[in-house]
Amino acid sequence: MSNSHGPQAKAYWKENIRLVLSLLTIWFVASFGMGILFADALDEFRFFGFKFGFWMAQQGSIFCFVILIFIYVYKMNKLDHKYGVDEDQDHFAPDNSYYDKKESEE
Amino acid sequence: MDVQTLTFIFVGVTFALYIGIAIWARAGNTDDFYVAGGGVPPLANGMATAADWMSAASFISMAGIISFVGRDGAVYLMGWTGGYVLLALLLAPYLRKFGKYTVPDFIGDRYYSDIARLVAVVCVLFVSFTYVAGQMRGVGIVFSRFLEVEITTGVLIGMTIVFFYAVLGGMKGITYTQVAQYCVLIFAFLVPAIFISIMMTGNPVPQLGFGSTLADGSNIYLLDKLDQLSTELGFAAYTAGNKSTIDVFFITAALMVGTAGLPHVIVRFFTVPKVRDARISAGYALVFIAILYTTAPALASFARVNLINTVSNTNYKATPSWFKNWENTNLIAWVDKNQDGKIQYFSGKAFGGKPQFINTRGSEGQRQIANTPTANKNELYIDRDIMVLANPEIANLPNWVIALVAAGGLAAALSTAAGLLLVISTSISHDLLKKIFLKNITDRQELFFARVAAALAIVIAGYFGIHPPGFVAQVVAFAFGLAASSFFPVILMGIFSKRMNREGAISGMITGLAFTAGYIVYFKFIDPSANTTENWWFGVSPEGIGTLGMVFNFIVAILVSRVTAPPPDEIKDMVDDIRIPQGAGASYHHKAS
């Protein structure tokens, strides 16, 4: 994609926003929802030796955060590729030979 | 070999390693100095970010705090990890595409205003100095506890080491020493945790041992036992929350958003070659952080059960040697209120303030103190830091593990200090001098100023480490509150709203800052006696007020931007450009030269 203003760019941005919003919803539910607002209610359920709300607050939410970022990375790389804006596409463009330049400068 | 010799060897070897890396990674130009030439592999950046982020507080104090507050400790666990999701999804990739050196750079360029740049620089300096003073102090404390040298000597040694790799190597030196420091600190944190997990539950994985039954054959879950012990002794149940839900909500949010807005964390994402690398390195960083952050609460609960079992109703003379060792370093104190020779451990303070030891021993051989005992039944004072520091002794681990913990604590403090010092020096040489006051200096001169600024910052930080201002503990709330209420909203809107303009951003930042700072200053300094739930707005403590400041920042910025002129077209083009990953390598190079 040669310019960053066209309808392609708008569509790319729209899909990006949708992805980010859906992931942030999960982020909010896992931490603020299950770990704080509804932690007491979830404590009624057992999860191995844990009360579930307590586990979400001190362990589960952190695991969710890690997974969310990796899902984001995977989906964004696919999205970049779909719209042809990923950085591999301009692999042979002169200005992406950053490392080579670096070497020759030193 | 005795502990002291081993500690000297461990600390000496790790320090030699850091200096070696510094010499290997000398910075040749400002590009190297500010962002390590933009060529750090994502995995290394993830490790460096984790070490940069996890400070002496995460390594030494956090597990101890959780140990004493139970479920409410989750505000730190979630708050200091959840921010990485915001960073990865909302900020890091776009700031990397923007491709400059600092947070004030982005704010100054995006809002086409040197006033905005200046406000940002002031915030950066304030937040970073607040933080770095605590790290230097941490270095001094580790030295004094494990090597029995004066705190001052410890701070001076720490300053020399940081001076070496920060001034010489800049970001390049710091990055690779942080990678080494991460390895040291995580190993030092996990080894005792694994052993104590085996000791308590028979399970070598602390995260699983946390939810297992006790190894003493009673077949009771560890956490149930802990709840039972806690309530018996008059404490709240460990797995129940004590803080109000709204306060926990606001503090967690302020810590998360503050984390995402901290300049020394953001700048790490400027050092990778591509936008895609910025995204994945945020993921790696969180994995590396999560290893410690999911172990800490497990460790907290093991240490708590073990502590109660060991001390409650035990004869002082029969306590294990670690108890007396840490009494000798002032972290434990016991007053035999009922003169039965046994330690009574209950909820409440045994006496007011920190123990004032006098040079006499009581009838049981305990160190005596000058403090007036309180009327309650509790006889024991325990410093929270002991939960991590004393663990190797509590679990009967060999001496080398104790030495390792010392090296780990130093690695945690030094890595964070270095990252902060770099941000301070960059904001002076680059944002203040090059961009505002001395626009014509050459790259060589700028690099020289950066080194001078780094050296000066180390001296100032060292001074605060040796003479800590009494308010250091109170101002931690500041660092996160200010980052949350100033940077985060304007960076976010700078990327996601093309309509956001100079007027909106500046008024939003000032509103957020003024409100948050005012609230904290009032409750922490002007009228500390009023710092109670009834007086807080909506029941939000000063620690959590940054969240409200952030909301005000957003509201004011949006309202003001709607009634003032939209940003110029070239700014809109710039925003379009940073939204697309393609060409990040290029944007680096032409802006750097």
PDB file of all heavy atoms in Angstrom, chain A residues 5 13 16 40 43 46 49 58-59 77 80 85 87-88 98-99, chain B residues 37 70-71 94 211 224 273-276 279 294 573 576 579 582:
ATOM      1  N   HIS A   5      -3.448   7.161   3.424  1.00  0.00           N
ATOM      2  CA  HIS A   5      -4.720   7.905   3.556  1.00  0.00           C
ATOM      3  C   HIS A   5      -5.898   7.197   2.900  1.00  0.00           C
ATOM      4  O   HIS A   5      -7.039   7.501   3.182  1.00  0.00           O
ATOM      5  CB  HIS A   5      -4.594   9.292   2.928  1.00  0.00           C
ATOM      6  CG  HIS A   5      -3.429  10.065   3.427  1.00  0.00           C
ATOM      7  ND1 HIS A   5      -3.424  10.660   4.658  1.00  0.00           N
ATOM      8  CD2 HIS A   5      -2.223  10.303   2.880  1.00  0.00           C
ATOM      9  CE1 HIS A   5      -2.252  11.255   4.840  1.00  0.00           C
ATOM     10  NE2 HIS A   5      -1.500  11.051   3.782  1.00  0.00           N
ATOM     11  N   TRP A  13      -7.407   0.306   9.659  1.00  0.00           N
ATOM     12  CA  TRP A  13      -7.508   0.938  10.971  1.00  0.00           C
ATOM     13  C   TRP A  13      -8.768   0.497  11.693  1.00  0.00           C
ATOM     14  O   TRP A  13      -8.767   0.233  12.892  1.00  0.00           O
ATOM     15  CB  TRP A  13      -7.452   2.460  10.807  1.00  0.00           C
ATOM     16  CG  TRP A  13      -7.339   3.181  12.120  1.00  0.00           C
ATOM     17  CD1 TRP A  13      -8.264   4.012  12.678  1.00  0.00           C
ATOM     18  CD2 TRP A  13      -6.239   3.129  13.038  1.00  0.00           C
ATOM     19  NE1 TRP A  13      -7.808   4.476  13.889  1.00  0.00           N
ATOM     20  CE2 TRP A  13      -6.571   3.945  14.131  1.00  0.00           C
ATOM     21  CE3 TRP A  13      -5.013   2.442  13.039  1.00  0.00           C
ATOM     22  CZ2 TRP A  13      -5.719   4.119  15.223  1.00  0.00           C
ATOM     23  CZ3 TRP A  13      -4.168   2.611  14.123  1.00  0.00           C
ATOM     24  CH2 TRP A  13      -4.526   3.443  15.198  1.00  0.00           C
ATOM     25  N   ASN A  16      -8.337  -2.948  13.027  1.00  0.00           N
ATOM     26  CA  ASN A  16      -7.417  -2.850  14.159  1.00  0.00           C
ATOM     27  C   ASN A  16      -8.161  -2.417  15.421  1.00  0.00           C
ATOM     28  O   ASN A  16      -8.044  -3.031  16.480  1.00  0.00           O
ATOM     29  CB  ASN A  16      -6.314  -1.848  13.782  1.00  0.00           C
ATOM     30  CG  ASN A  16      -5.361  -1.558  14.935  1.00  0.00           C
ATOM     31  OD1 ASN A  16      -5.337  -2.274  15.925  1.00  0.00           O
ATOM     32  ND2 ASN A  16      -4.577  -0.508  14.802  1.00  0.00           N
ATOM     33  N   ASP A  40     -15.628 -11.499  45.233  1.00  0.00           N
ATOM     34  CA  ASP A  40     -16.289 -12.123  46.388  1.00  0.00           C
ATOM     35  C   ASP A  40     -17.293 -13.183  45.953  1.00  0.00           C
ATOM     36  O   ASP A  40     -17.363 -14.259  46.539  1.00  0.00           O
ATOM     37  CB  ASP A  40     -16.987 -11.049  47.238  1.00  0.00           C
ATOM     38  CG  ASP A  40     -15.971 -10.218  48.014  1.00  0.00           C
ATOM     39  OD1 ASP A  40     -14.914 -10.774  48.375  1.00  0.00           O
ATOM     40  OD2 ASP A  40     -16.230  -9.020  48.234  1.00  0.00           O
ATOM     41  N   ASP A  43     -15.578 -16.248  44.772  1.00  0.00           N
ATOM     42  CA  ASP A  43     -14.935 -17.003  45.854  1.00  0.00           C
ATOM     43  C   ASP A  43     -15.794 -18.185  46.316  1.00  0.00           C
ATOM     44  O   ASP A  43     -15.299 -19.087  46.994  1.00  0.00           O
ATOM     45  CB  ASP A  43     -14.624 -16.087  47.043  1.00  0.00           C
ATOM     46  CG  ASP A  43     -13.274 -15.387  46.883  1.00  0.00           C
ATOM     47  OD1 ASP A  43     -12.505 -15.801  45.996  1.00  0.00           O
ATOM     48  OD2 ASP A  43     -13.005 -14.447  47.627  1.00  0.00           O
ATOM     49  N   ARG A  46     -14.723 -23.203  43.969  1.00  0.00           N
ATOM     50  CA  ARG A  46     -13.365 -23.665  44.225  1.00  0.00           C
ATOM     51  C   ARG A  46     -12.664 -23.970  42.916  1.00  0.00           C
ATOM     52  O   ARG A  46     -13.259 -24.428  41.950  1.00  0.00           O
ATOM     53  CB  ARG A  46     -13.383 -24.942  45.077  1.00  0.00           C
ATOM     54  CG  ARG A  46     -14.008 -24.786  46.426  1.00  0.00           C
ATOM     55  CD  ARG A  46     -13.199 -23.900  47.342  1.00  0.00           C
ATOM     56  NE  ARG A  46     -11.911 -24.468  47.704  1.00  0.00           N
ATOM     57  CZ  ARG A  46     -11.254 -24.137  48.823  1.00  0.00           C
ATOM     58  NH1 ARG A  46     -11.767 -23.269  49.677  1.00  0.00           N
ATOM     59  NH2 ARG A  46     -10.088 -24.662  49.077  1.00  0.00           N
ATOM     60  N   GLY A  49      -7.085 -25.795  45.060  1.00  0.00           N
ATOM     61  CA  GLY A  49      -7.128 -25.356  46.459  1.00  0.00           C
ATOM     62  C   GLY A  49      -7.447 -23.877  46.627  1.00  0.00           C
ATOM     63  O   GLY A  49      -7.325 -23.342  47.718  1.00  0.00           O
ATOM     64  N   GLN A  58      -4.895 -13.000  42.038  1.00  0.00           N
ATOM     65  CA  GLN A  58      -3.461 -13.123  42.278  1.00  0.00           C
ATOM     66  C   GLN A  58      -2.713 -13.953  41.237  1.00  0.00           C
ATOM     67  O   GLN A  58      -1.485 -13.941  41.233  1.00  0.00           O
ATOM     68  CB  GLN A  58      -3.208 -13.691  43.682  1.00  0.00           C
ATOM     69  CG  GLN A  58      -3.707 -12.752  44.773  1.00  0.00           C
ATOM     70  CD  GLN A  58      -2.889 -12.819  46.040  1.00  0.00           C
ATOM     71  OE1 GLN A  58      -2.212 -13.794  46.312  1.00  0.00           O
ATOM     72  NE2 GLN A  58      -2.955 -11.766  46.848  1.00  0.00           N
ATOM     73  N   GLN A  59      -3.411 -14.687  40.394  1.00  0.00           N
ATOM     74  CA  GLN A  59      -2.729 -15.508  39.388  1.00  0.00           C
ATOM     75  C   GLN A  59      -3.383 -15.412  38.015  1.00  0.00           C
ATOM     76  O   GLN A  59      -2.742 -15.068  37.038  1.00  0.00           O
ATOM     77  CB  GLN A  59      -2.728 -16.989  39.823  1.00  0.00           C
ATOM     78  CG  GLN A  59      -2.065 -17.251  41.151  1.00  0.00           C
ATOM     79  CD  GLN A  59      -0.610 -17.616  40.996  1.00  0.00           C
ATOM     80  OE1 GLN A  59      -0.245 -18.655  40.495  1.00  0.00           O
ATOM     81  NE2 GLN A  59       0.253 -16.717  41.430  1.00  0.00           N
ATOM     82  N   ASN A  77      -0.243  -9.364  13.062  1.00  0.00           N
ATOM     83  CA  ASN A  77       0.644  -9.762  11.972  1.00  0.00           C
ATOM     84  C   ASN A  77      -0.159 -10.240  10.779  1.00  0.00           C
ATOM     85  O   ASN A  77       0.158  -9.941   9.633  1.00  0.00           O
ATOM     86  CB  ASN A  77       1.608 -10.858  12.450  1.00  0.00           C
ATOM     87  CG  ASN A  77       2.679 -10.296  13.368  1.00  0.00           C
ATOM     88  OD1 ASN A  77       2.887  -9.080  13.417  1.00  0.00           O
ATOM     89  ND2 ASN A  77       3.346 -11.165  14.104  1.00  0.00           N
ATOM     90  N   ASP A  80      -1.781  -7.109   9.200  1.00  0.00           N
ATOM     91  CA  ASP A  80      -0.780  -6.350   8.429  1.00  0.00           C
ATOM     92  C   ASP A  80      -0.572  -6.998   7.060  1.00  0.00           C
ATOM     93  O   ASP A  80      -0.480  -6.330   6.047  1.00  0.00           O
ATOM     94  CB  ASP A  80       0.572  -6.342   9.163  1.00  0.00           C
ATOM     95  CG  ASP A  80       0.560  -5.450  10.383  1.00  0.00           C
ATOM     96  OD1 ASP A  80      -0.438  -4.739  10.579  1.00  0.00           O
ATOM     97  OD2 ASP A  80       1.550  -5.480  11.146  1.00  0.00           O
ATOM     98  N   VAL A  85       0.584  -4.111   4.642  1.00  0.00           N
ATOM     99  CA  VAL A  85       1.334  -3.057   5.310  1.00  0.00           C
ATOM    100  C   VAL A  85       2.416  -3.602   6.230  1.00  0.00           C
ATOM    101  O   VAL A  85       3.044  -2.864   6.964  1.00  0.00           O
ATOM    102  CB  VAL A  85       0.406  -2.118   6.136  1.00  0.00           C
ATOM    103  CG1 VAL A  85      -0.538  -1.387   5.222  1.00  0.00           C
ATOM    104  CG2 VAL A  85      -0.335  -2.911   7.188  1.00  0.00           C
ATOM    105  N   GLU A  87       5.966  -5.192   7.489  1.00  0.00           N
ATOM    106  CA  GLU A  87       7.287  -4.670   7.193  1.00  0.00           C
ATOM    107  C   GLU A  87       8.085  -5.570   6.263  1.00  0.00           C
ATOM    108  O   GLU A  87       9.100  -5.142   5.724  1.00  0.00           O
ATOM    109  CB  GLU A  87       8.032  -4.413   8.513  1.00  0.00           C
ATOM    110  CG  GLU A  87       7.382  -3.280   9.273  1.00  0.00           C
ATOM    111  CD  GLU A  87       7.482  -3.440  10.776  1.00  0.00           C
ATOM    112  OE1 GLU A  87       6.858  -4.369  11.327  1.00  0.00           O
ATOM    113  OE2 GLU A  87       8.185  -2.640  11.381  1.00  0.00           O
ATOM    114  N   ASP A  88       7.642  -6.822   6.055  1.00  0.00           N
ATOM    115  CA  ASP A  88       8.357  -7.680   5.120  1.00  0.00           C
ATOM    116  C   ASP A  88       8.067  -7.293   3.677  1.00  0.00           C
ATOM    117  O   ASP A  88       8.838  -7.587   2.779  1.00  0.00           O
ATOM    118  CB  ASP A  88       7.958  -9.147   5.330  1.00  0.00           C
ATOM    119  CG  ASP A  88       8.456  -9.649   6.670  1.00  0.00           C
ATOM    120  OD1 ASP A  88       9.457  -9.087   7.149  1.00  0.00           O
ATOM    121  OD2 ASP A  88       7.834 -10.562   7.233  1.00  0.00           O
ATOM    122  N   TYR A  98      18.296  -0.967   6.671  1.00  0.00           N
ATOM    123  CA  TYR A  98      18.811  -0.276   7.854  1.00  0.00           C
ATOM    124  C   TYR A  98      20.074  -0.913   8.423  1.00  0.00           C
ATOM    125  O   TYR A  98      21.058  -0.258   8.709  1.00  0.00           O
ATOM    126  CB  TYR A  98      17.699  -0.260   8.892  1.00  0.00           C
ATOM    127  CG  TYR A  98      18.127   0.237  10.224  1.00  0.00           C
ATOM    128  CD1 TYR A  98      18.477   1.576  10.380  1.00  0.00           C
ATOM    129  CD2 TYR A  98      18.186  -0.610  11.319  1.00  0.00           C
ATOM    130  CE1 TYR A  98      18.873   2.039  11.608  1.00  0.00           C
ATOM    131  CE2 TYR A  98      18.578  -0.146  12.537  1.00  0.00           C
ATOM    132  CZ  TYR A  98      18.922   1.173  12.682  1.00  0.00           C
ATOM    133  OH  TYR A  98      19.319   1.628  13.897  1.00  0.00           O
ATOM    134  N   TYR A  99      20.021  -2.253   8.530  1.00  0.00           N
ATOM    135  CA  TYR A  99      21.160  -2.923   9.165  1.00  0.00           C
ATOM    136  C   TYR A  99      22.434  -2.792   8.334  1.00  0.00           C
ATOM    137  O   TYR A  99      23.515  -2.619   8.857  1.00  0.00           O
ATOM    138  CB  TYR A  99      20.855  -4.403   9.388  1.00  0.00           C
ATOM    139  CG  TYR A  99      19.840  -4.605  10.447  1.00  0.00           C
ATOM    140  CD1 TYR A  99      18.573  -5.063  10.137  1.00  0.00           C
ATOM    141  CD2 TYR A  99      20.153  -4.298  11.769  1.00  0.00           C
ATOM    142  CE1 TYR A  99      17.635  -5.229  11.128  1.00  0.00           C
ATOM    143  CE2 TYR A  99      19.206  -4.468  12.759  1.00  0.00           C
ATOM    144  CZ  TYR A  99      17.952  -4.931  12.443  1.00  0.00           C
ATOM    145  OH  TYR A  99      17.027  -5.103  13.416  1.00  0.00           O
TER     146      TYR A  99
ATOM    147  N   GLY B  37      20.893   2.224  19.134  1.00  0.00           N
ATOM    148  CA  GLY B  37      20.942   2.119  17.680  1.00  0.00           C
ATOM    149  C   GLY B  37      19.683   1.532  17.067  1.00  0.00           C
ATOM    150  O   GLY B  37      19.623   1.267  15.876  1.00  0.00           O
ATOM    151  N   GLY B  70      -2.700 -10.043  52.237  1.00  0.00           N
ATOM    152  CA  GLY B  70      -3.551 -11.060  51.626  1.00  0.00           C
ATOM    153  C   GLY B  70      -4.070 -10.663  50.262  1.00  0.00           C
ATOM    154  O   GLY B  70      -3.317 -10.128  49.455  1.00  0.00           O
ATOM    155  N   ARG B  71      -5.364 -10.895  50.023  1.00  0.00           N
ATOM    156  CA  ARG B  71      -5.902 -10.710  48.674  1.00  0.00           C
ATOM    157  C   ARG B  71      -5.715  -9.293  48.148  1.00  0.00           C
ATOM    158  O   ARG B  71      -5.515  -9.097  46.956  1.00  0.00           O
ATOM    159  CB  ARG B  71      -7.395 -11.067  48.632  1.00  0.00           C
ATOM    160  CG  ARG B  71      -7.918 -11.113  47.204  1.00  0.00           C
ATOM    161  CD  ARG B  71      -9.392 -11.449  47.133  1.00  0.00           C
ATOM    162  NE  ARG B  71     -10.221 -10.263  47.231  1.00  0.00           N
ATOM    163  CZ  ARG B  71     -11.542 -10.304  47.404  1.00  0.00           C
ATOM    164  NH1 ARG B  71     -12.152 -11.453  47.537  1.00  0.00           N
ATOM    165  NH2 ARG B  71     -12.227  -9.189  47.484  1.00  0.00           N
ATOM    166  N   TYR B  94       2.890   2.077  17.950  1.00  0.00           N
ATOM    167  CA  TYR B  94       2.758   3.378  17.293  1.00  0.00           C
ATOM    168  C   TYR B  94       3.909   4.299  17.661  1.00  0.00           C
ATOM    169  O   TYR B  94       4.411   5.045  16.826  1.00  0.00           O
ATOM    170  CB  TYR B  94       1.415   4.005  17.649  1.00  0.00           C
ATOM    171  CG  TYR B  94       0.290   3.050  17.371  1.00  0.00           C
ATOM    172  CD1 TYR B  94      -0.381   2.405  18.402  1.00  0.00           C
ATOM    173  CD2 TYR B  94      -0.035   2.720  16.061  1.00  0.00           C
ATOM    174  CE1 TYR B  94      -1.371   1.474  18.143  1.00  0.00           C
ATOM    175  CE2 TYR B  94      -1.017   1.788  15.785  1.00  0.00           C
ATOM    176  CZ  TYR B  94      -1.683   1.172  16.833  1.00  0.00           C
ATOM    177  OH  TYR B  94      -2.641   0.247  16.557  1.00  0.00           O
ATOM    178  N   GLY B 211      -1.853 -23.751  45.432  1.00  0.00           N
ATOM    179  CA  GLY B 211      -3.214 -24.307  45.503  1.00  0.00           C
ATOM    180  C   GLY B 211      -3.233 -25.756  45.939  1.00  0.00           C
ATOM    181  O   GLY B 211      -4.209 -26.461  45.720  1.00  0.00           O
ATOM    182  N   ASP B 224      -6.543 -22.634  52.868  1.00  0.00           N
ATOM    183  CA  ASP B 224      -7.560 -22.796  53.914  1.00  0.00           C
ATOM    184  C   ASP B 224      -6.920 -22.746  55.293  1.00  0.00           C
ATOM    185  O   ASP B 224      -7.438 -22.133  56.225  1.00  0.00           O
ATOM    186  CB  ASP B 224      -8.307 -24.132  53.739  1.00  0.00           C
ATOM    187  CG  ASP B 224      -9.142 -24.140  52.474  1.00  0.00           C
ATOM    188  OD1 ASP B 224      -9.439 -23.035  51.972  1.00  0.00           O
ATOM    189  OD2 ASP B 224      -9.482 -25.230  51.988  1.00  0.00           O
ATOM    190  N   PRO B 273      14.068  -2.968  16.160  1.00  0.00           N
ATOM    191  CA  PRO B 273      14.134  -2.546  14.765  1.00  0.00           C
ATOM    192  C   PRO B 273      12.783  -2.255  14.112  1.00  0.00           C
ATOM    193  O   PRO B 273      12.685  -1.393  13.259  1.00  0.00           O
ATOM    194  CB  PRO B 273      14.802  -3.725  14.053  1.00  0.00           C
ATOM    195  CG  PRO B 273      15.477  -4.506  15.125  1.00  0.00           C
ATOM    196  CD  PRO B 273      14.684  -4.289  16.364  1.00  0.00           C
ATOM    197  N   LYS B 274      11.733  -3.001  14.469  1.00  0.00           N
ATOM    198  CA  LYS B 274      10.484  -2.887  13.715  1.00  0.00           C
ATOM    199  C   LYS B 274       9.279  -2.740  14.631  1.00  0.00           C
ATOM    200  O   LYS B 274       9.341  -3.063  15.816  1.00  0.00           O
ATOM    201  CB  LYS B 274      10.274  -4.152  12.871  1.00  0.00           C
ATOM    202  CG  LYS B 274      11.241  -4.309  11.742  1.00  0.00           C
ATOM    203  CD  LYS B 274      10.967  -5.621  11.042  1.00  0.00           C
ATOM    204  CE  LYS B 274      11.878  -5.759   9.828  1.00  0.00           C
ATOM    205  NZ  LYS B 274      11.558  -6.982   9.090  1.00  0.00           N
ATOM    206  N   VAL B 275       8.155  -2.301  14.040  1.00  0.00           N
ATOM    207  CA  VAL B 275       6.893  -2.201  14.767  1.00  0.00           C
ATOM    208  C   VAL B 275       6.472  -3.566  15.299  1.00  0.00           C
ATOM    209  O   VAL B 275       6.058  -3.717  16.446  1.00  0.00           O
ATOM    210  CB  VAL B 275       5.793  -1.627  13.849  1.00  0.00           C
ATOM    211  CG1 VAL B 275       4.439  -1.726  14.509  1.00  0.00           C
ATOM    212  CG2 VAL B 275       6.134  -0.190  13.490  1.00  0.00           C
ATOM    213  N   ARG B 276       6.617  -4.578  14.413  1.00  0.00           N
ATOM    214  CA  ARG B 276       6.243  -5.923  14.818  1.00  0.00           C
ATOM    215  C   ARG B 276       7.072  -6.376  16.035  1.00  0.00           C
ATOM    216  O   ARG B 276       6.583  -7.072  16.911  1.00  0.00           O
ATOM    217  CB  ARG B 276       6.490  -6.870  13.637  1.00  0.00           C
ATOM    218  CG  ARG B 276       5.802  -8.188  13.774  1.00  0.00           C
ATOM    219  CD  ARG B 276       5.895  -8.961  12.517  1.00  0.00           C
ATOM    220  NE  ARG B 276       7.300  -9.123  12.113  1.00  0.00           N
ATOM    221  CZ  ARG B 276       7.643  -9.681  10.952  1.00  0.00           C
ATOM    222  NH1 ARG B 276       6.739 -10.077  10.098  1.00  0.00           N
ATOM    223  NH2 ARG B 276       8.922  -9.815  10.649  1.00  0.00           N
ATOM    224  N   ARG B 279       5.657  -4.951  19.262  1.00  0.00           N
ATOM    225  CA  ARG B 279       4.500  -5.708  19.779  1.00  0.00           C
ATOM    226  C   ARG B 279       4.958  -6.967  20.499  1.00  0.00           C
ATOM    227  O   ARG B 279       4.573  -7.209  21.648  1.00  0.00           O
ATOM    228  CB  ARG B 279       3.586  -6.126  18.624  1.00  0.00           C
ATOM    229  CG  ARG B 279       2.882  -4.981  17.951  1.00  0.00           C
ATOM    230  CD  ARG B 279       2.003  -5.552  16.833  1.00  0.00           C
ATOM    231  NE  ARG B 279       1.553  -4.504  15.927  1.00  0.00           N
ATOM    232  CZ  ARG B 279       1.492  -4.652  14.608  1.00  0.00           C
ATOM    233  NH1 ARG B 279       1.841  -5.782  14.039  1.00  0.00           N
ATOM    234  NH2 ARG B 279       1.050  -3.657  13.856  1.00  0.00           N
ATOM    235  N   THR B 294       3.858 -14.141  39.344  1.00  0.00           N
ATOM    236  CA  THR B 294       2.964 -15.222  39.777  1.00  0.00           C
ATOM    237  C   THR B 294       3.631 -16.054  40.882  1.00  0.00           C
ATOM    238  O   THR B 294       2.950 -16.752  41.613  1.00  0.00           O
ATOM    239  CB  THR B 294       2.568 -16.154  38.607  1.00  0.00           C
ATOM    240  OG1 THR B 294       3.751 -16.607  37.957  1.00  0.00           O
ATOM    241  CG2 THR B 294       1.677 -15.430  37.615  1.00  0.00           C
ATOM    242  N   ASP B 573      -1.357  14.020   8.736  1.00  0.00           N
ATOM    243  CA  ASP B 573      -0.592  13.073   7.921  1.00  0.00           C
ATOM    244  C   ASP B 573       0.327  12.225   8.787  1.00  0.00           C
ATOM    245  O   ASP B 573       0.481  11.024   8.569  1.00  0.00           O
ATOM    246  CB  ASP B 573       0.267  13.826   6.883  1.00  0.00           C
ATOM    247  CG  ASP B 573      -0.589  14.422   5.787  1.00  0.00           C
ATOM    248  OD1 ASP B 573      -1.787  14.067   5.733  1.00  0.00           O
ATOM    249  OD2 ASP B 573      -0.072  15.252   5.018  1.00  0.00           O
ATOM    250  N   ASP B 576      -1.663   9.580  10.453  1.00  0.00           N
ATOM    251  CA  ASP B 576      -1.927   8.506   9.491  1.00  0.00           C
ATOM    252  C   ASP B 576      -0.717   7.614   9.322  1.00  0.00           C
ATOM    253  O   ASP B 576      -0.828   6.398   9.236  1.00  0.00           O
ATOM    254  CB  ASP B 576      -2.288   9.115   8.124  1.00  0.00           C
ATOM    255  CG  ASP B 576      -3.753   9.500   8.059  1.00  0.00           C
ATOM    256  OD1 ASP B 576      -4.568   8.825   8.718  1.00  0.00           O
ATOM    257  OD2 ASP B 576      -4.084  10.482   7.364  1.00  0.00           O
ATOM    258  N   ARG B 579       0.081   5.105  12.123  1.00  0.00           N
ATOM    259  CA  ARG B 579      -0.883   4.009  12.268  1.00  0.00           C
ATOM    260  C   ARG B 579      -0.549   2.812  11.380  1.00  0.00           C
ATOM    261  O   ARG B 579      -1.140   1.743  11.518  1.00  0.00           O
ATOM    262  CB  ARG B 579      -2.291   4.521  11.935  1.00  0.00           C
ATOM    263  CG  ARG B 579      -2.833   5.458  12.998  1.00  0.00           C
ATOM    264  CD  ARG B 579      -4.194   5.966  12.614  1.00  0.00           C
ATOM    265  NE  ARG B 579      -4.748   6.831  13.643  1.00  0.00           N
ATOM    266  CZ  ARG B 579      -5.957   7.359  13.568  1.00  0.00           C
ATOM    267  NH1 ARG B 579      -6.728   7.124  12.511  1.00  0.00           N
ATOM    268  NH2 ARG B 579      -6.410   8.123  14.538  1.00  0.00           N
ATOM    269  N   GLN B 582       4.312  -0.238   8.099  1.00  0.00           N
ATOM    270  CA  GLN B 582       5.290  -0.229   7.018  1.00  0.00           C
ATOM    271  C   GLN B 582       6.232   0.973   7.070  1.00  0.00           C
ATOM    272  O   GLN B 582       5.792   2.103   7.241  1.00  0.00           O
ATOM    273  CB  GLN B 582       4.544  -0.187   5.688  1.00  0.00           C
ATOM    274  CG  GLN B 582       5.305  -0.784   4.555  1.00  0.00           C
ATOM    275  CD  GLN B 582       4.372  -0.996   3.374  1.00  0.00           C
ATOM    276  OE1 GLN B 582       3.596  -0.122   3.043  1.00  0.00           O
ATOM    277  NE2 GLN B 582       4.460  -2.159   2.768  1.00  0.00           N
TER     278      GLN B 582
END
